[in-house]
Amino acid sequence: SLTGSPVILKILQNWVPRVSHYFDKEHYTYVGHQIVIQESIEHFGAVVWPGALALSQYLESNQEQFNLKDKKVLEIGAGTGLLSIVACILGAHVTATDLPEVLENLSYNISRNTQNLNMHKPEVRKLVWGEGLNEDFPVSTYHYDFILATDVVYHHGALDPLLATMVHFCKPGTVLLWANKFRFSTDYEFLEKVSNIFNTTILAEFPESNVKLLKATVREN
C-alpha cells in the first residue's frame, strides 16, 4: 500500500551536453560542483538515465529531510556513478556497486570527480543482484543508512534477484530511495511487489520524464 501524495517536479536541465564519436562526456552541476561523466555506448549501465538525474536533484534540494552527511550509503546498479558522486559531495560514506563489466567506467568517473574533494573516499564494488550477498555483504558487518537505486527496473530477467537484493540490504533503520522511469507493466508489477514488502511512499513524480521517486522502509513488527 502506497502512502502520501507526491510532489510534482521537473528534471532541471542542469547539464551541458557535449557529443563525441564514441564516448560522451556529460557535464553536470550539483551541490555547487561541476561533475563530468564519461558514458559508454556499450553497456546499459554506462549511460546516465533520468532516474539518476531525478534523485540527484531531489537529494540536493532536500538535504534537511535526507541528510547524507557521515551516513553509510550503498548504491545498487550505480552505472556511470553520477548519483554516488552527488551522495559523496553531500558527505556520505558511499559504496557504489554494479556488474563487473561496468566497474571500470564507474571507478573512473567516481575517482575523477571526487579525488580533490575533502570528503569520505568512496568505494566501488562488484555486486551482481541476488548473488553472493551473504558472503560479500554479510548483514553482521554491513549496515547502510540509505540504499539508492535508479532506473534499475526495465526489461530484464533479474527483477526477482533485484528485489532479493533490496530485501537483503534494507534493514530496520535503512531508507531505500528508488527512482525509476515507468514505462512497462513490469515496472508497475515490481512497484507492487516492493509495496507489498516495505512501507512505501511516493515522494515525487516527474511527469515529463515518467519518473517516480519512492521511499521504502522495512515494516517493523
Side-chain angles (χ1 to χ4, degrees), residues 45-64:
V47 177
V48 176
W49 296 99
L53 300 175
L55 186 47
S56 294
Q57 179 179 315
Y58 193 85
L59 288 174
E60 177 184 39
S61 310
N62 294 274
Q63 294 178 47
E64 286 173 13

mmCIF file of all heavy atoms in Angstrom, residues 45-64:
data_model
loop_
_atom_site.group_PDB
_atom_site.id
_atom_site.type_symbol
_atom_site.label_atom_id
_atom_site.label_comp_id
_atom_site.label_asym_id
_atom_site.label_seq_id
_atom_site.Cartn_x
_atom_site.Cartn_y
_atom_site.Cartn_z
ATOM 1 N N GLY A 45 24.420 0.110 -18.368
ATOM 2 C CA GLY A 45 24.784 0.732 -17.105
ATOM 3 C C GLY A 45 25.706 1.912 -17.263
ATOM 4 O O GLY A 45 26.038 2.561 -16.284
ATOM 5 N N ALA A 46 26.152 2.179 -18.485
ATOM 6 C CA ALA A 46 27.157 3.221 -18.661
ATOM 7 C C ALA A 46 26.586 4.474 -19.311
ATOM 8 O O ALA A 46 27.279 5.239 -19.938
ATOM 9 C CB ALA A 46 28.320 2.673 -19.469
ATOM 10 N N VAL A 47 25.280 4.648 -19.179
ATOM 11 C CA VAL A 47 24.622 5.848 -19.679
ATOM 12 C C VAL A 47 23.856 6.447 -18.505
ATOM 13 O O VAL A 47 23.348 5.726 -17.662
ATOM 14 C CB VAL A 47 23.634 5.485 -20.821
ATOM 15 C CG1 VAL A 47 22.871 6.706 -21.305
ATOM 16 C CG2 VAL A 47 24.387 4.831 -21.976
ATOM 17 N N VAL A 48 23.787 7.768 -18.426
ATOM 18 C CA VAL A 48 23.025 8.414 -17.357
ATOM 19 C C VAL A 48 21.543 8.396 -17.727
ATOM 20 O O VAL A 48 21.141 8.966 -18.740
ATOM 21 C CB VAL A 48 23.494 9.868 -17.141
ATOM 22 C CG1 VAL A 48 22.623 10.554 -16.090
ATOM 23 C CG2 VAL A 48 24.955 9.896 -16.699
ATOM 24 N N TRP A 49 20.738 7.720 -16.904
ATOM 25 C CA TRP A 49 19.298 7.619 -17.140
ATOM 26 C C TRP A 49 18.581 8.678 -16.300
ATOM 27 O O TRP A 49 19.128 9.198 -15.345
ATOM 28 C CB TRP A 49 18.810 6.215 -16.771
ATOM 29 C CG TRP A 49 19.400 5.148 -17.640
ATOM 30 C CD1 TRP A 49 20.461 4.345 -17.342
ATOM 31 C CD2 TRP A 49 18.990 4.787 -18.961
ATOM 32 N NE1 TRP A 49 20.729 3.504 -18.396
ATOM 33 C CE2 TRP A 49 19.840 3.752 -19.403
ATOM 34 C CE3 TRP A 49 17.968 5.241 -19.812
ATOM 35 C CZ2 TRP A 49 19.718 3.155 -20.653
ATOM 36 C CZ3 TRP A 49 17.846 4.640 -21.065
ATOM 37 C CH2 TRP A 49 18.710 3.621 -21.473
ATOM 38 N N PRO A 50 17.307 8.978 -16.634
ATOM 39 C CA PRO A 50 16.619 10.080 -15.959
ATOM 40 C C PRO A 50 16.427 9.885 -14.449
ATOM 41 O O PRO A 50 16.386 10.860 -13.701
ATOM 42 C CB PRO A 50 15.269 10.176 -16.681
ATOM 43 C CG PRO A 50 15.135 8.926 -17.466
ATOM 44 C CD PRO A 50 16.508 8.433 -17.749
ATOM 45 N N GLY A 51 16.308 8.634 -13.998
ATOM 46 C CA GLY A 51 16.126 8.392 -12.564
ATOM 47 C C GLY A 51 17.287 8.920 -11.738
ATOM 48 O O GLY A 51 17.098 9.460 -10.643
ATOM 49 N N ALA A 52 18.490 8.804 -12.282
ATOM 50 C CA ALA A 52 19.683 9.287 -11.567
ATOM 51 C C ALA A 52 19.665 10.805 -11.466
ATOM 52 O O ALA A 52 20.023 11.387 -10.438
ATOM 53 C CB ALA A 52 20.959 8.822 -12.275
ATOM 54 N N LEU A 53 19.204 11.467 -12.541
ATOM 55 C CA LEU A 53 19.096 12.934 -12.525
ATOM 56 C C LEU A 53 18.037 13.359 -11.510
ATOM 57 O O LEU A 53 18.237 14.286 -10.731
ATOM 58 C CB LEU A 53 18.714 13.455 -13.915
ATOM 59 C CG LEU A 53 19.686 13.119 -15.058
ATOM 60 C CD1 LEU A 53 19.106 13.594 -16.390
ATOM 61 C CD2 LEU A 53 21.048 13.743 -14.833
ATOM 62 N N ALA A 54 16.921 12.632 -11.505
ATOM 63 C CA ALA A 54 15.813 12.975 -10.611
ATOM 64 C C ALA A 54 16.225 12.839 -9.148
ATOM 65 O O ALA A 54 15.986 13.737 -8.336
ATOM 66 C CB ALA A 54 14.605 12.081 -10.912
ATOM 67 N N LEU A 55 16.870 11.722 -8.808
ATOM 68 C CA LEU A 55 17.233 11.503 -7.406
ATOM 69 C C LEU A 55 18.388 12.413 -6.983
ATOM 70 O O LEU A 55 18.408 12.914 -5.853
ATOM 71 C CB LEU A 55 17.563 10.024 -7.156
ATOM 72 C CG LEU A 55 17.818 9.623 -5.694
ATOM 73 C CD1 LEU A 55 16.776 10.174 -4.736
ATOM 74 C CD2 LEU A 55 17.911 8.101 -5.557
ATOM 75 N N SER A 56 19.330 12.676 -7.887
ATOM 76 C CA SER A 56 20.424 13.612 -7.576
ATOM 77 C C SER A 56 19.848 14.984 -7.250
ATOM 78 O O SER A 56 20.226 15.630 -6.264
ATOM 79 C CB SER A 56 21.389 13.734 -8.768
ATOM 80 O OG SER A 56 22.065 12.514 -8.986
ATOM 81 N N GLN A 57 18.916 15.428 -8.095
ATOM 82 C CA GLN A 57 18.278 16.728 -7.909
ATOM 83 C C GLN A 57 17.497 16.758 -6.593
ATOM 84 O O GLN A 57 17.542 17.734 -5.841
ATOM 85 C CB GLN A 57 17.342 16.964 -9.094
ATOM 86 C CG GLN A 57 16.576 18.255 -9.078
ATOM 87 C CD GLN A 57 15.699 18.363 -10.330
ATOM 88 O OE1 GLN A 57 16.140 18.073 -11.435
ATOM 89 N NE2 GLN A 57 14.456 18.763 -10.158
ATOM 90 N N TYR A 58 16.789 15.665 -6.296
ATOM 91 C CA TYR A 58 15.965 15.609 -5.092
ATOM 92 C C TYR A 58 16.829 15.644 -3.823
ATOM 93 O O TYR A 58 16.513 16.355 -2.866
ATOM 94 C CB TYR A 58 15.104 14.343 -5.110
ATOM 95 C CG TYR A 58 14.005 14.363 -4.076
ATOM 96 C CD1 TYR A 58 12.784 14.976 -4.346
ATOM 97 C CD2 TYR A 58 14.184 13.782 -2.826
ATOM 98 C CE1 TYR A 58 11.766 15.019 -3.395
ATOM 99 C CE2 TYR A 58 13.177 13.818 -1.863
ATOM 100 C CZ TYR A 58 11.976 14.432 -2.163
ATOM 101 O OH TYR A 58 10.981 14.480 -1.215
ATOM 102 N N LEU A 59 17.929 14.898 -3.835
ATOM 103 C CA LEU A 59 18.819 14.880 -2.662
ATOM 104 C C LEU A 59 19.457 16.255 -2.447
ATOM 105 O O LEU A 59 19.617 16.707 -1.313
ATOM 106 C CB LEU A 59 19.897 13.810 -2.825
ATOM 107 C CG LEU A 59 19.416 12.365 -2.704
ATOM 108 C CD1 LEU A 59 20.551 11.393 -3.035
ATOM 109 C CD2 LEU A 59 18.857 12.067 -1.310
ATOM 110 N N GLU A 60 19.806 16.900 -3.556
ATOM 111 C CA GLU A 60 20.386 18.240 -3.465
ATOM 112 C C GLU A 60 19.386 19.218 -2.839
ATOM 113 O O GLU A 60 19.753 20.062 -2.016
ATOM 114 C CB GLU A 60 20.787 18.724 -4.869
ATOM 115 C CG GLU A 60 21.335 20.132 -4.901
ATOM 116 C CD GLU A 60 21.640 20.612 -6.328
ATOM 117 O OE1 GLU A 60 20.863 20.299 -7.250
ATOM 118 O OE2 GLU A 60 22.658 21.282 -6.501
ATOM 119 N N SER A 61 18.112 19.093 -3.217
ATOM 120 C CA SER A 61 17.084 20.049 -2.774
ATOM 121 C C SER A 61 16.490 19.713 -1.410
ATOM 122 O O SER A 61 15.796 20.532 -0.822
ATOM 123 C CB SER A 61 15.927 20.083 -3.779
ATOM 124 O OG SER A 61 16.421 20.246 -5.074
ATOM 125 N N ASN A 62 16.692 18.493 -0.925
ATOM 126 C CA ASN A 62 16.052 18.051 0.319
ATOM 127 C C ASN A 62 17.064 17.549 1.341
ATOM 128 O O ASN A 62 16.898 16.483 1.937
ATOM 129 C CB ASN A 62 15.019 16.961 0.017
ATOM 130 C CG ASN A 62 13.855 17.492 -0.797
ATOM 131 O OD1 ASN A 62 12.894 18.016 -0.247
ATOM 132 N ND2 ASN A 62 13.950 17.367 -2.111
ATOM 133 N N GLN A 63 18.127 18.350 1.525
ATOM 134 C CA GLN A 63 19.211 17.913 2.412
ATOM 135 C C GLN A 63 18.787 17.871 3.877
ATOM 136 O O GLN A 63 19.369 17.137 4.665
ATOM 137 C CB GLN A 63 20.428 18.827 2.244
ATOM 138 C CG GLN A 63 21.050 18.716 0.857
ATOM 139 C CD GLN A 63 22.229 19.652 0.673
ATOM 140 O OE1 GLN A 63 23.098 19.737 1.524
ATOM 141 N NE2 GLN A 63 22.251 20.377 -0.435
ATOM 142 N N GLU A 64 17.769 18.627 4.241
ATOM 143 C CA GLU A 64 17.313 18.565 5.637
ATOM 144 C C GLU A 64 16.528 17.291 5.877
ATOM 145 O O GLU A 64 16.683 16.630 6.903
ATOM 146 C CB GLU A 64 16.471 19.799 5.969
ATOM 147 C CG GLU A 64 17.332 21.045 6.130
ATOM 148 C CD GLU A 64 16.503 22.300 6.297
ATOM 149 O OE1 GLU A 64 15.275 22.194 6.538
ATOM 150 O OE2 GLU A 64 17.080 23.402 6.183
#
